[in-house]
């Protein structure tokens, strides 16, 4: 029903999105059962830490130029079949240097493949580089430096911190966010995914991001909701992912509807198409069935996401016409 609606996705991890088809190209003997066991997280994990263990298998396949290029082209195909017109893909380059590629090689290859895959298509893709909460300050600064050096080529557009919010603090990340914030690089940060509103406040006042990955537990503090509205902080909401990691026990308990009603800018995302075993089409259908959302709400979310995208106003205006015209 929602398949042909043009969509925008801002929160999507490259290493969480390897389809069965592409994994079979790396490991021709893999069965669908083995794929489901190792590349797709269970519908209910014990916690975020257990969920994150499912990135191990895809990361092993993404240590070579071939592996990285195949992962990008596979994801571009999935996005096109979901009628996504604009996507920001994110990944942590330092997780891909185990077999001899340098971090520069890794970013160069992924950015080049993104450019190749989006030529002559209706899909625009950009790249966000991630530091991780368990990284030390040096690793965070190396990632920030990659952003600064690659941003001028036009594919890399921003910086993020991801990882295990339950078990790691922001201390090692602060310097890298400050360095990029000073030179005007667009920033987003995972927060309020697992921990509550207090951690969202802490992230906002320590890292100063313009967007939050998830941020859904902000609903627990009305003053925070006012702040998000006032400062136009956009929430990259990934409903199915939050059920999998145990933040909410079922879809109808997810605060996405309340957040939209409260006037917070938010968009709908998958987080990872394989690990989360979902697509935007599937998320839209579940939102329709659970909260009665239809074209109006989906348009609003896509419009909000486009306004919060890390691209210039000309590109936003160009893509915005595609949202309206269909
Ligand atoms: Zn995420």
């Amino acid at each position: 029903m929602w398949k042909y609606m043009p969509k925008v996705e801002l929160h999507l991890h490259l290493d969480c999105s390897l389809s069965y088809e592409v994994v079979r190209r790396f490991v021709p003997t893999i069965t669908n059962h083995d794929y489901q066991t190792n590349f797709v997280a269970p519908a209910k994990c014990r916690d975020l830490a257990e969920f994150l263990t499912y990135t191990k298998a895809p990361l092993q396949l993404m240590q070579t130029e071939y592996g990285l290029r195949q992962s990008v082209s596979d994801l571009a195909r999935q996005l096109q079949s979901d009628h996504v017109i604009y996507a920001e893909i994110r990944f942590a380059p330092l997780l891909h240097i185990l077999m001899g590629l340098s971090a520069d090689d890794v970013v160069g290859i992924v950015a080049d493949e993104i450019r190749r895959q989006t030529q002559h298509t209706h899909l625009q893709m950009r790249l966000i580089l991630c530091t991780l909460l368990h990284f030390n300050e040096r690793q965070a600064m190396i990632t920030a430096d990659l952003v600064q050096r690659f941003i001028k080529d036009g594919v890399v557009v921003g910086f993020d911190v991801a990882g295990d919010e339950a078990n790691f603090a922001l201390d090692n990340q602060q310097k890298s966010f400050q360095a990029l914030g000073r030179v005007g690089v667009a920033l987003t940060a995972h927060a309020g995914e697992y921990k509550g509103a207090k951690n969202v406040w802490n992230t906002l006042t320590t890292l100063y991001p313009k967007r939050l990955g998830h941020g859904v537990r902000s609903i627990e503090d009305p003053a925070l909701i006012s702040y998000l509205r006032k400062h136009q902080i956009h929430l990259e909401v990934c409903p199915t992912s939050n059920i999998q990691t145990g933040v909410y026990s079922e879809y109808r308990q997810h605060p996405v509807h309340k957040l939209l009603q409260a006037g917070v800018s938010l968009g709908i995302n998958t987080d990872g198409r394989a690990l989360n075993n979902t697509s935007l089409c599937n998320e839209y259908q579940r939102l329709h069935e659970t909260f009665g959302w239809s074209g109006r709400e989906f348009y609003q979310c896509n419009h909000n996401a486009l306004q919060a995208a890390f691209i210039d106003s000309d590109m936003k205006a160009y893509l915005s016409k595609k949202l309206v015209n269909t």
Side-chain angles (χ1 to χ4, degrees):
M1 188 175 181
W2 315 110
K3 184 168 170 65
Y4 298 103
M5 175 178 268
K7 304 174 187 74
V8 175
E9 183 163 22
L10 301 182
H11 192 118
L12 178 56
H13 295 263
L14 179 62
D15 51 327
C16 302
S17 299
L18 266 58
S19 70
Y20 179 46
E21 288 69 32
V22 81
V23 172
R24 263 202 340 208
R25 229 168 278 153
F26 298 117
V27 191
T29 54
I30 192 167
T31 62
N32 193 30
H33 178 265
D34 286 345
Y35 170 78
Q36 295 292 335
T37 307
N38 295 301
F39 292 82
V40 180
K44 291 266 182 198
C45 294
R46 215 170 30 251
D47 53 23
L48 182 58
E50 191 202 356
F51 175 81
L52 291 172
T53 62
Y54 287 86
T55 57
K56 204 172 144 193
L59 280 170
Q60 280 176 351
L61 303 178
M62 297 169 67
Q63 301 295 332
T64 61
E65 175 163 0
Y66 176 77
L68 290 167
R69 286 193 186 274
Q70 287 290 321
S71 307
V72 173
S73 62
D74 175 54
L75 183 52
R77 269 193 300 277
Q78 295 179 60
L79 290 169
Q80 286 177 78
S81 90
D82 216 5
H83 285 258
V84 173
I85 57 165
Y86 178 75
E88 288 176 8
I89 313 304
R90 63 186 74 194
F91 82 126
L94 297 192
L95 296 182
H96 301 267
I97 55 174
L98 303 177
M99 283 172 62
L101 290 178
S102 70
D104 276 67
D105 293 337
V106 169
V107 179
I109 290 164
V110 171
D112 182 61
E113 194 59 32
I114 283 179
R115 221 174 277 118
R116 262 169 44 87
Q117 290 299 326
T118 47
Q119 265 170 6
H120 317 301
T121 72
H122 294 298
L123 170 66
Q124 292 281 333
M125 286 164 86
R126 299 290 186 273
L127 191 56
I128 293 173
L129 302 187
C130 302
T131 175
L132 296 172
L133 285 166
H134 69 268
F135 278 3
N136 60 34
E137 191 174 85
R138 192 178 144 267
Q139 291 170 304
M141 288 303 289
I142 290 172
T143 312
D145 187 51
L146 287 165
V147 173
Q148 273 197 287
R149 282 184 296 112
F150 278 89
I151 204 163
K152 59 184 179 303
D153 298 339
V155 176
V156 173
V157 292
F159 188 55
D160 171 43
V161 59
D164 186 357
E165 184 187 10
N167 292 304
F168 293 92
L170 297 174
D171 303 3
N172 292 343
Q173 316 304 326
Q174 194 171 3
K175 199 171 153 194
S176 59
F177 271 77
Q178 279 172 350
L180 293 182
R182 266 197 300 273
V183 293
V185 171
L187 305 172
T188 180
H190 281 67
E193 171 183 16
Y194 206 74
K195 283 189 170 174
K198 201 171 150 205
N199 205 46
V200 176
W201 278 120
N202 185 33
T203 302
L204 289 171
T205 54
T206 306
L207 306 181
Y208 300 99
K210 269 305 279 177
R211 303 191 327 223
L212 290 169
H214 304 280
V216 288
R217 290 195 59 192
S218 303
I219 197 71
E220 295 163 20
D221 181 352
L224 179 52
I225 293 295
S226 301
Y227 183 93
L228 297 178
R229 243 187 344 239
K230 185 173 169 205
H231 295 273
Q232 294 178 305
I233 306 287
H234 177 83
L235 303 189
E236 305 157 358
V237 177
C238 317
T240 289
S241 178
N242 298 146
I243 315 299
Q244 275 184 298
T245 56
V247 185
Y248 302 102
S249 59
E250 46 190 328
Y251 215 92
R252 67 189 164 86
Q253 289 179 342
H254 196 283
V256 62
H257 186 61
K258 284 186 194 151
L259 287 162
L260 191 73
Q261 282 183 319
V264 175
S265 170
L266 64 89
I268 302 301
N269 305 272
T270 61
D271 211 1
R273 285 166 177 262
L275 233 70
N276 302 93
N277 197 21
T278 193
S279 63
L280 282 186
C281 210
N282 180 52
E283 293 300 316
Y284 285 23
Q285 185 58 28
R286 295 199 71 179
L287 289 161
H288 172 66
E289 287 165 7
T290 312
F291 301 113
W293 284 21
S294 61
R296 193 169 62 98
E297 286 83 2
F298 297 133
Y299 171 75
Q300 191 182 340
C301 286
N302 283 310
H303 176 76
N304 287 344
L306 195 54
Q307 294 314 306
F310 294 158
I311 44 175
D312 63 34
S313 50
D314 285 352
M315 181 55 83
K316 283 182 190 176
Y318 165 74
L319 291 168
S320 162
K321 282 194 198 116
K322 295 191 174 196
L323 289 184
V324 176
N325 286 344
T326 311

